[in-house]
Amino acid sequence: MKKNIFKSDKKILGIIGIRSGSKGVPDKNIRKLLGKPLIGWILEKAIESKYINKLVVSTDSEKYANIAKNFGAEVPYLRPKKLAANNSPEIDFVKHMLDFLEKNQNYKPDIVVRLMATVPLQTTDDIDSLIAILLKDIYADSAVVISEARQHPEKALKIVNDKLGKKLVTFFSESGREVTPIPRQNYDKAFFRSNIIACRANIISKTNSLTGDIVRFHIIPQERAIDIDNEIDFLICEKILMSKK
């Protein structure tokens, strides 16, 4: 990491997890997006952060590790396979990295910024805005990037069995009448986490979570919140990036 003249004396760690076992899109985390490995987009944004002074990647793949190193990240070790399964809790690899850094590098961060490879449209300003919140607000446990829901969660439907042995679609309250469309203006605004989290390191050990209880936020436009999970998401991101160029 480059030396950053903007930082206080706080140790601020950026961490990205990229396991190799993606099933929906094979090797999703290193797949090329406009000629650049997917992980490269967020790594470049993190490198430019005013605050992050250590950037590490947790991966179970030597190939992935080499790509991350080429973009300027540290890869202290390969993640154990037990922490890289489909159902492995995310917080486990974060805690594992923190334990390793403390034991092997005598490094204990004040703030941990959990980033993701799958949000290539997010910006350095998005990252720094979260960190600035924690630096200014002593009461905040964490801060997250959020964006307004494209579909309000109260409009969600589910499929259930009816009394005739068939299936029907109903509202989550199980009232079919509520399937009728309601103007979106009638709902309070709803938001989803857009996959950057900045958290005080002591909160992780204290609450066994990446957010704790007092969670501040930074709102971004929906287009920057796209989280790549399938082929359609790749196409959308490509179109957006090409339009910006």
Side-chain angles (χ1 to χ4, degrees), residues 143-161:
V144 300
V145 172
I146 61 174
S147 60
E148 189 172 354
R150 283 180 280 179
Q151 280 281 351
H152 199 286
E154 289 191 30
K155 292 184 177 182
L157 306 176
K158 65 178 179 178
I159 296 174
V160 298
N161 295 318

Side-chain angles (χ1 to χ4, degrees), residues 26-72:
D27 282 327
K28 174 177 66 177
N29 289 312
I30 61 168
R31 174 166 163 174
K32 294 291 181 64
L33 175 62
L34 294 188
K36 185 188 303 179
L38 186 57
I39 179 65
W41 290 90
I42 195 66
L43 282 175
E44 288 182 343
K45 303 302 190 301
I47 288 287
E48 292 301 315
S49 168
K50 293 191 298 186
Y51 302 110
I52 292 175
N53 46 33
K54 189 176 181 68
L55 180 62
V56 299
V57 165
S58 172
T59 182
D60 60 327
S61 163
E62 191 74 48
K63 180 179 179 181
Y64 285 27
N66 290 333
I67 291 173
K69 290 175 184 177
N70 287 339
F71 279 92

Side-chain angles (χ1 to χ4, degrees), residues 110-128:
D110 298 292
I111 293 174
V112 176
V113 185
R114 195 279 273 136
L115 305 160
M116 291 187 70
T118 53
V119 286
L121 299 173
Q122 294 186 353
T123 67
T124 300
D125 182 67
D126 296 332
I127 298 170
D128 285 350

Side-chain angles (χ1 to χ4, degrees), residues 105-229:
Q105 298 183 13
N106 195 29
Y107 175 84
K108 292 181 66 175
D110 298 292
I111 293 174
V112 176
V113 185
R114 195 279 273 136
L115 305 160
M116 291 187 70
T118 53
V119 286
L121 299 173
Q122 294 186 353
T123 67
T124 300
D125 182 67
D126 296 332
I127 298 170
D128 285 350
S129 294
L130 290 190
I131 300 169
I133 289 171
L134 295 188
L135 293 177
K136 295 174 183 177
D137 184 349
I138 63 173
Y139 299 105
D141 292 337
S142 65
V144 300
V145 172
I146 61 174
S147 60
E148 189 172 354
R150 283 180 280 179
Q151 280 281 351
H152 199 286
E154 289 191 30
K155 292 184 177 182
L157 306 176
K158 65 178 179 178
I159 296 174
V160 298
N161 295 318
D162 65 14
K163 296 178 181 179
L164 302 175
K166 297 182 179 181
K167 293 186 181 295
L168 56 84
V169 64
T170 183
F171 201 67
F172 261 75
S173 66
E174 299 193 6
S175 169
R177 297 181 185 183
E178 294 188 45
V179 176
T180 301
I182 299 173
R184 62 183 177 84
Q185 291 82 0
N186 290 8
Y187 294 107
D188 290 333
K189 283 189 175 183
F191 297 86
F192 284 100
R193 191 186 66 241
S194 298
N195 286 325
I196 300 178
I197 301 172
C199 179
R200 300 191 194 282
N202 64 336
I203 291 299
I204 296 175
S205 57
K206 181 179 178 180
T207 68
N208 197 38
S209 78
L210 292 173
T211 52
D213 299 312
I214 301 176
V215 186
R216 309 299 188 204
F217 59 90
H218 169 65
I219 301 175
I220 65 172
Q222 290 176 343
E223 71 167 43
R224 292 216 305 273
I226 295 173
D227 188 342
I228 292 182
D229 190 51

